[in-house]
Amino acid sequence: MTDPILDVHDLSVSFDTYEGRHDVLNGVNFTINEGETVALVGETGCGKSVTARSVMGTLPRPPGDITSGKIRYHGDNLLADEDAHEQVKGDQMSMIFQDPMTYLSPVYPVGSMMADVATYSGRKDVSSWEILKSFLGHRENAEEIRERSIELLDRMRIPDPEGTLDRYPVELSGGMRQRVIIAMALINEPEFLIADEPTTALDVTVQDQILDLLRERVTEQNLSMLYITHNLGVAREIADRICIMYAGEIVEVGRTEEIFDAPLHPYTRGLLDSIPKLTGFEGSGIDGQIPDYTNPPSGCRFHPRCPAVMRGTCDMEPVEHYAVGEDRTVACHLYEDGMEFEEAAAIAADEATYDNEEPQPAEAGVRSKQ
Amino acid sequence: MSDTEPTTSDASTSTLARQLEDLDRVVYRFRQNPMSVIGLGIILAFILIAIFAPWIAPYPSDAGYAGEPAVHYDQKFEPPSAEHLFGTDQAGRDVFSRVLFGTQLSLKIGAVVLAAAVSIGVPIGLAAGYFGGRIGMVLMRITDVFLSVPPLVLALSVSVALEPSLTNAMLAIGAVWWPWYARLTYGEVLSVKKETYVEASRGVGASSVRTIFRDILPNVLAPITVKMSLDMGYAILVASALGFLGLGAQPPTPEWGTMVSQGRDYLPAQWWYSTFPGLAIFLIVLGFNFLGDGLRDMFDVEVQ
Amino acid sequence: MGYRDYLIKRGLSTIPMFLGLSVLIFTLARVIPGRPARLALGPRATDEAVQQLREQMGLNDPIWQQYIEYMRGLLQGDLGQSLISGRNVATDLLEYFPATFELTTLAMLIAIVVGVPLGVIAGQHKDKWPDNASRLFSFFNVSLPPFWAGILLQLFIAFQLGWLPATGRIGDVSPVPVETTGLLLVDSTLAANSAAFISAAQHLILPAITLSLAPVADIARMTRSSFIEEYDKDYVEGLRTHGIPNRLIAYKYVLRKSFASTLTIIGLDYGFLLGSAFVVEIVFSWPGMASYGVEAILQKDINAMVGVTLVVGAAFLIVNFVVDILYGFFDPRVWHEGESE
Ligand SMILES: Nc1ncnc2c1ncn2[C@@H]1O[C@H](COP(=O)(O)OP(=O)(O)O)[C@@H](O)[C@H]1O
Ligand SMILES: [Mg+2]
């Protein structure tokens, strides 16, 4: 097997705020292979965006602080070399965001921002003269960039791509803006794309169109992608593999079908439960909330909410990632070292029968509902 | 946070405790800003000087203490020395003593101007905001027109009609300063009115006047206090400009702006004559600006 | 709503403001004193002379009639006769206003060119030493009495170092620039008269710097706070994620948006600047409107003073109109308002 394009290893990130120190990411591990789409799935607030920002090198520091870990891109640790990180960020990586309403500058036509991304991405600095030229809309290869933008917008199925370039964001609908944002992210032909909940803020029908477009781009341009969502249903539509995240830790990794066929971690099962069913009925999911990061639970961070919690183990011993069969890991005390997949699946099925049992009362370190 | 919600039994004590805690935090925020402490120091020093000028000043009679300012033509234009810290003027008067006595005037000017501005502006803003509708609109339009002329220029055109004197300068400035307070009060009243409790107290039949005094006035107090302390310096600045133009206090009154203007005729040879009174203006205005900024942080209010 | 509609709407709203202003000034000048003729002639004039002057000035007519007369004159460029110069006030103002305009405009340009980058740098280094230094600098600037600052500059730069002239508008140059606009820098450029240009520029520097001190501070503070607010927006994160250089983000994107807020301060400051120009012109013996205005006040020349105030107020309104035009350019959302969302 070839080396992965992205290898995040033991990444820990904290935030210092006036409330105290938030230990958000706690030893995050995952890899993305070339041409692969990996979904990072977890509830809101579990640290998905923090992970994405760390990879992109845009984590605000302070208050953020990367306390340990490596982010290897094609084998080079980006955290060790800030310049290399800037370079890679400009040339090879790109990102799209959740809220299309706020990620475009309101004071320029969208074409101007696209052209700047095309021209200045990855540059260390610009002269005052260039700033003035950019402000006035002059640039060397303006024609070429304009054509490239039009072509991209066209591929994003934006009607009247040429006219759209000269419109201000307020003149475009949310779906159109998101297409522009995707086009902007692709204009420098990156090989790796992070999509941070790009459909969450959109209508369901628009959501599907955007997912289709993204899938199309991924295959046509052989993109590798980290797709972030809180919705396992969306992840199923786009991802080859899924990483489940809970409270700053990756709790389960597996191929998409496997995750859906045989979810191992109790949290994954809870998430699957909460996918809106065809009936429109929303499952109860998991009770409780993401813990307070200033004082995260000891042992397994999920144990206060876990329906299968084992007293004396889960609340005391830190969990490791247990490899279960091939390409599959789970961080849960239920699955001992070196367990075969069938064995694990049997335990999961067994545990599922306890699902109707009342979960343990909330412990210290878990915020009660307000 | 819900966990600090007081229970019925100790509601009053915990309210008091919370108020004390708030006060603590307010004082803490004030002290966090070193400039505000310096500002407070400067202003306190000027107040002490104003009070004790007759005792501190080496030559009180030169500043007109108990009578007309003395003249000593034999000592005119002596440069700064141990005898005359800031030198002497064209009539041989001690500039240092005159600057010290000028403090009283400056503080008085600032206070009178702001008192006039507040007592015109606040009622107008209150009325406009409280009654709203057509009355409110007309009042605020008038206010806007006043705001469309720079204060110094408007003060100048008011003073056309009046004899140049310190009192008239103060009147002229006060008469053009009120619109800022009307605007500020108006804005505050509108936002207070939005909150339901005023509506509620109207519902149970509280009179307009009571509503204004009980609910609205306390809320506009903080921003007005902050604005006043920021404006104090600016009012002193404008008054000294009128003095400098010969439209305010008349010589030989030891008013700082007037003194700078007098000294200008003897530049550059007798540089001290203009320099020291100007320095005093600068320091007192700086003090009020520092203090006002600290108060703004402290009460956490936005004023223009 | 298009940009043009926005401009028209905004332009029309200036008219009632100007009418309000003229009523205000007219009222101040005629009603409050109630005896302009007496004031003009002094206490020793005979009642008969006063009566005659009142008649001549139309002061015996009802006040609204006087106002209409005045406005009718105004529309024809007639502001009444000045008691000091004996000429029409409009003629006098035409002579003095360009000097004031040249000075205040240059001062505002200096204030913008210095204040905006200062604010951006302070915003980029929020709560670090460049921010604190700029804050302290701003406090000093707004606390300086402009006349005193001018005197200090004269003492050091003009008298002590002899680098620049202390007073006046132009030195002894020949040939004297032909007057076309009344703005010496413009006139000397048009006439390709470099000696006159240099002399005029040298005379302008000190008073313009003096005037610009307070606006520099205001503009820097305003730019700083709006810059910080704007820098927090999502699209800035988006640009940073795409690896766009910080300077481009700061000056092309963030500044453009926050400059809109700065513009409103600039409009306001131009008014204060016109006020300070009165004292600064006196300090530098600048032959502008201030000397004329102050003289008018001391001599109780009411027509002249009304004219001066009206011109200053009108200049202020016009500058604020221009500010709104630019605001629409820097933040197109003001006229896009209500189109979507
Ligand atoms: N700039 C920040 N300052 C302080 N805390 C932050 C910051 N960004 C993120 N966090 C913390 O990290 C947690 C995870 O945030 P995030 O990664 O945005 O969650 P999500 O999984 O919804 O994307 C948040 O609950 C918050 O406490
Ligand atoms: Mg997120």
Side-chain angles (χ1 to χ4, degrees):
Chain A
M1 208 177 86
T2 52
D3 278 342
I5 185 167
L6 180 76
D7 177 4
V8 173
H9 179 73
D10 189 32
L11 180 68
S12 297
V13 174
S14 304
F15 289 94
D16 266 318
T17 70
Y18 64 97
E19 289 172 331
R21 192 173 174 80
H22 298 249
D23 295 312
V24 177
L25 295 194
N26 184 28
V28 167
N29 289 298
F30 66 92
T31 59
I32 297 174
N33 296 314
E34 236 169 300
E36 190 185 34
T37 296
V38 172
L40 185 61
V41 184
E43 286 165 291
T44 300
C46 72
K48 304 182 299 291
S49 297
V50 170
T51 309
R53 289 195 177 106
S54 306
V55 173
M56 289 306 292
T58 52
L59 195 70
R61 284 183 283 181
D65 180 20
I66 297 181
T67 53
S68 80
K70 293 191 173 89
I71 295 175
R72 288 203 197 88
Y73 189 78
H74 284 306
D76 301 327
N77 182 9
L78 298 179
L79 296 182
D81 185 348
E82 224 164 282
D83 286 343
H85 204 163
E86 281 292 315
Q87 201 63 41
V88 167
K89 171 171 92 182
D91 296 347
Q92 291 155 45
M93 303 204 259
S94 205
M95 183 162 171
I96 56 183
F97 304 92
Q98 174 168 351
D99 192 351
M101 296 303 174
T102 57
Y103 274 93
L104 290 171
S105 162
V107 295
Y108 288 100
V110 297
S112 175
M113 204 166 158
M114 277 184 87
D116 278 336
V117 174
T119 317
Y120 297 107
S121 188
R123 284 269 296 275
K124 273 196 108 107
D125 204 359
V126 289
S127 64
S128 311
W129 175 237
E130 276 175 301
I131 294 173
L132 188 67
K133 277 208 306 192
S134 163
F135 181 71
L136 298 172
H138 291 294
R139 59 190 85 235
E140 260 82 74
N141 43 354
E143 266 318 299
E144 187 255 322
I145 288 173
R146 198 172 167 86
E147 266 161 39
R148 198 150 30 116
S149 309
I150 292 172
E151 194 190 318
L152 262 171
L153 293 188
D154 192 39
R155 274 202 222 132
M156 285 295 134
R157 309 230 165 75
I158 293 178
D160 184 22
E162 177 134 38
T164 303
L165 278 184
D166 299 323
R167 289 207 187 100
Y168 289 91
V170 281
E171 300 173 86
L172 303 175
S173 70
M176 285 302 144
R177 287 188 212 185
Q178 193 61 294
R179 287 166 206 236
V180 169
I181 287 174
I182 297 174
M184 195 181 299
L186 296 178
I187 198 162
N188 290 323
E189 296 175 347
E191 50 174 31
F192 176 65
L193 183 69
I194 297 182
D196 190 353
E197 312 221 25
T199 62
T200 307
L202 303 174
D203 289 345
V204 184
T205 46
V206 184
Q207 243 180 46
D208 287 341
Q209 295 165 4
I210 298 284
L211 276 179
D212 285 343
L213 284 168
L214 267 179
R215 222 177 352 232
E216 196 178 297
R217 287 298 100 218
V218 165
T219 21
E220 260 181 48
Q221 290 177 228
N222 192 29
L223 279 170
S224 315
M225 176 157 77
L226 176 64
Y227 190 96
I228 292 172
T229 176
H230 64 267
N231 185 338
L232 258 177
V234 171
R236 169 146 71 173
E237 285 186 43
I238 197 147
D240 302 315
R241 283 195 300 136
I242 293 178
C243 300
I244 306 287
M245 187 172 217
Y246 178 77
E249 292 172 343
I250 302 286
V251 295
E252 183 166 2
V253 181
R255 306 203 59 76
T256 305
E257 324 82 64
E258 289 173 355
I259 294 276
F260 276 83
D261 289 347
L264 297 181
H265 199 283
Y267 179 64
T268 313
R269 294 207 301 274
L271 278 182
L272 274 172
D273 243 14
S274 59
I275 296 180
K277 301 278 164 22
L278 287 175
T279 53
F281 171 76
E282 209 157 309
S284 58
I286 320 141
D287 283 326
Q289 283 186 337
I290 294 264
D292 179 0
Y293 289 110
T294 53
N295 180 22
S298 56
C300 170
R301 281 188 172 184
F302 185 58
H303 86 259
R305 293 170 71 185
C306 184
V309 62
M310 296 179 286
R311 303 263 135 216
T313 308
C314 297
D315 51 350
M316 300 175 63
E317 291 167 28
V319 263
E320 286 165 37
H321 285 271
Y322 302 116
V324 176
E326 210 184 314
D327 256 6
R328 191 86 199 268
T329 62
V330 58
C332 176
H333 284 296
L334 286 175
Y335 308 96
E336 293 294 313
D337 230 334
M339 195 179 275
E340 283 307 311
F341 176 70
E342 283 74 22
E343 210 178 327
I347 292 175
D350 192 32
E351 284 300 326
T353 58
Y354 293 89
D355 270 356
N356 296 332
E357 223 172 78
E358 280 293 298
Q360 304 292 325
E363 299 259 321
V366 178
R367 270 185 262 147
S368 57
K369 285 200 169 164
Q370 264 119 9
Chain B
M1 279 277 193
S2 55
D3 56 343
T4 53
E5 212 50 59
T7 49
T8 41
S9 62
D10 56 3
S12 59
T13 52
S14 81
T15 314
L16 183 68
R18 210 164 349 142
Q19 275 173 356
L20 283 178
E21 206 176 281
D22 280 353
L23 192 69
D24 249 17
R25 196 164 33 230
V26 160
V27 172
Y28 172 79
R29 270 207 298 251
F30 184 79
R31 290 190 10 204
Q32 270 306 91
N33 180 348
M35 289 184 202
S36 53
V37 182
I38 296 174
L40 187 65
I42 295 176
I43 298 311
L44 285 179
F46 272 111
I47 290 176
L48 289 178
I49 290 174
I51 297 173
F52 296 108
W55 294 278
I56 311 170
Y59 308 95
S61 66
D62 287 9
Y65 183 59
E68 277 294 293
V71 288
H72 324 276
Y73 286 109
D74 51 325
Q75 295 172 16
K76 75 174 191 180
F77 292 137
E78 286 184 13
S81 63
E83 218 120 297
H84 301 285
L85 276 178
F86 293 173
T88 61
D89 66 10
Q90 80 279 23
R93 291 178 293 232
D94 181 46
V95 175
F96 181 60
S97 303
R98 291 171 60 77
V99 167
L100 291 185
F101 272 87
T103 309
Q104 292 180 342
L105 282 178
S106 269
L107 289 173
K108 194 175 95 188
I109 293 168
V112 170
V113 166
L114 289 185
V118 167
S119 52
I120 305 172
V122 171
I124 289 182
L126 278 179
Y130 188 80
F131 297 111
R134 189 159 296 171
I135 304 178
M137 209 197 72
V138 169
L139 285 176
M140 290 325 287
R141 271 294 115 83
I142 294 176
T143 308
D144 283 346
V145 170
F146 269 87
L147 287 173
S148 73
V149 190
L152 182 59
V153 180
L154 199 54
L156 287 175
S157 61
V158 171
S159 58
V160 171
L162 311 164
E163 287 303 315
S165 77
L166 186 59
T167 319
N168 288 342
M170 291 191 289
L171 282 178
I173 300 169
V176 301
W177 211 284
W178 64 266
W180 299 97
Y181 288 89
R183 258 259 194 97
L184 181 69
T185 311
Y186 178 71
E188 289 294 325
V189 173
L190 284 195
S191 65
V192 169
K193 240 169 100 174
K194 271 206 205 108
E195 291 165 34
T196 44
Y197 61 91
V198 174
E199 294 304 324
S201 73
R202 270 183 136 175
V204 298
S207 72
S208 305
V209 176
R210 247 186 74 196
T211 311
I212 288 180
F213 277 97
R214 225 198 31 217
D215 296 327
I216 296 182
L217 215 48
N219 278 287
V220 301
L221 224 55
I224 287 177
T225 313
V226 173
K227 176 131 182 79
M228 279 177 73
S229 94
L230 285 169
D231 274 3
M232 193 68 182
Y234 195 59
I236 291 175
L237 219 50
V238 172
S240 68
L242 282 184
F244 176 81
L245 292 175
L247 301 169
Q250 296 299 305
T253 317
E255 195 273 323
W256 293 335
T258 313
M259 288 164 76
V260 175
S261 161
Q262 294 259 298
R264 207 175 75 83
D265 295 340
Y266 308 102
L267 287 177
Q270 281 80 36
W271 55 270
W272 56 86
Y273 192 178
S274 280
T275 304
F276 290 110
L279 184 65
I281 305 173
F282 169 63
L283 282 179
I284 200 167
V285 176
L286 189 68
F288 278 114
N289 280 336
F290 277 174
L291 183 66
D293 192 64
L295 290 177
R296 174 163 48 191
D297 280 357
M298 185 167 122
F299 291 118
D300 203 13
V301 290
E302 279 293 325
V303 292
Q304 189 281 136
Chain C
M1 187 162 76
Y3 193 34
R4 222 189 57 203
D5 296 337
Y6 164 76
L7 293 187
I8 292 171
K9 199 176 130 200
R10 191 52 197 75
L12 289 178
S13 75
T14 306
I15 295 172
M17 282 299 284
F18 184 77
L19 287 179
L21 176 68
S22 65
V23 173
L24 168 69
I25 294 166
F26 191 81
T27 313
L28 283 179
R30 305 267 159 135
V31 174
I32 296 182
R35 46 193 178 105
R38 165 64 70 192
L39 283 171
L41 293 175
R44 272 183 303 241
T46 60
D47 283 352
E48 206 173 292
V50 171
Q51 229 3 276
Q52 203 182 335
L53 187 63
R54 284 184 67 85
E55 200 60 49
Q56 193 188 326
M57 290 168 78
L59 292 176
N60 290 334
D61 301 335
I63 183 76
W64 59 269
Q65 206 170 326
Q66 292 184 38
Y67 174 72
I68 290 176
E69 275 307 311
Y70 186 81
M71 286 310 283
R72 181 180 297 160
L74 185 71
L75 288 176
Q76 294 160 358
D78 176 7
L79 291 169
Q81 207 185 35
S82 158
L83 295 172
I84 331 170
S85 70
R87 298 189 298 178
N88 194 300
V89 171
T91 317
D92 285 345
L93 289 178
L94 230 49
E95 184 182 328
Y96 295 116
F97 183 68
T100 299
F101 182 73
E102 186 167 36
L103 176 61
T104 50
T105 305
L106 186 72
M108 193 40 98
L109 286 179
I110 294 176
I112 294 170
V113 168
V114 177
V116 169
L118 201 64
V120 171
I121 291 168
Q124 281 178 320
H125 304 271
K126 185 184 166 209
D127 295 332
K128 310 250 173 60
W129 74 263
D131 186 24
N132 292 333
S134 129
R135 193 175 153 88
L136 203 60
F137 174 76
S138 299
F139 269 116
F140 277 48
N141 277 14
V142 294
S143 306
L144 280 169
F147 49 89
W148 187 63
I151 288 174
L152 289 188
L153 282 178
Q154 283 179 328
L155 277 174
F156 285 111
I157 312 277
F159 295 128
Q160 188 78 26
L161 299 169
W163 287 351
L164 291 166
T167 55
R169 199 177 171 206
I170 193 162
D172 288 328
V173 288
S174 63
V176 197
V178 201
E179 186 166 318
T180 39
T181 59
L183 309 174
L184 284 183
L185 289 184
V186 177
D187 287 346
S188 55
T189 309
L190 289 179
N193 184 343
S194 61
F197 184 89
I198 290 170
S199 174
Q202 283 174 338
H203 282 82
L204 257 171
I205 292 175
L206 288 186
I209 288 180
T210 308
L211 269 180
S212 72
L213 291 176
V216 163
D218 278 345
I219 290 172
R221 291 331 280 169
M222 190 64 188
T223 304
R224 172 195 178 270
S225 61
S226 55
F227 185 90
I228 288 171
E229 192 188 327
E230 197 59 25
Y231 202 78
D232 233 22
K233 296 276 169 73
D234 284 344
Y235 73 85
V236 173
E237 189 200 342
L239 287 164
R240 296 204 311 127
T241 306
H242 287 306
I244 307 295
N246 268 329
R247 262 157 54 90
L248 189 73
I249 301 178
Y251 285 92
K252 179 177 171 184
Y253 286 89
V254 179
L255 182 58
R256 168 153 181 185
K257 181 68 205 311
S258 54
F259 192 64
S261 326
T262 306
L263 270 173
T264 46
I265 275 286
I266 290 175
L268 209 59
D269 270 351
Y270 195 78
F272 285 95
L273 210 140
L274 284 166
S276 323
F278 272 70
V279 282
V280 172
E281 284 187 5
I282 300 286
V283 171
F284 289 94
S285 308
W286 191 260
M289 265 190 344
S291 335
Y292 181 70
V294 172
E295 193 62 18
I297 292 168
L298 290 173
Q299 303 293 325
K300 303 296 172 198
D301 185 347
I302 288 187
N303 279 342
M305 195 52 216
V306 169
V308 167
T309 317
L310 211 53
V311 167
V312 170
F316 186 46
L317 285 177
I318 290 169
V319 165
N320 277 289
F321 175 56
V322 173
V323 159
D324 281 349
I325 295 175
L326 293 172
Y327 194 104
F329 170 74
F330 279 95
D331 189 354
R333 282 182 310 179
V334 294
W335 46 274
H336 270 141
E337 203 167 89
E339 243 175 33
S340 82
E341 286 166 285

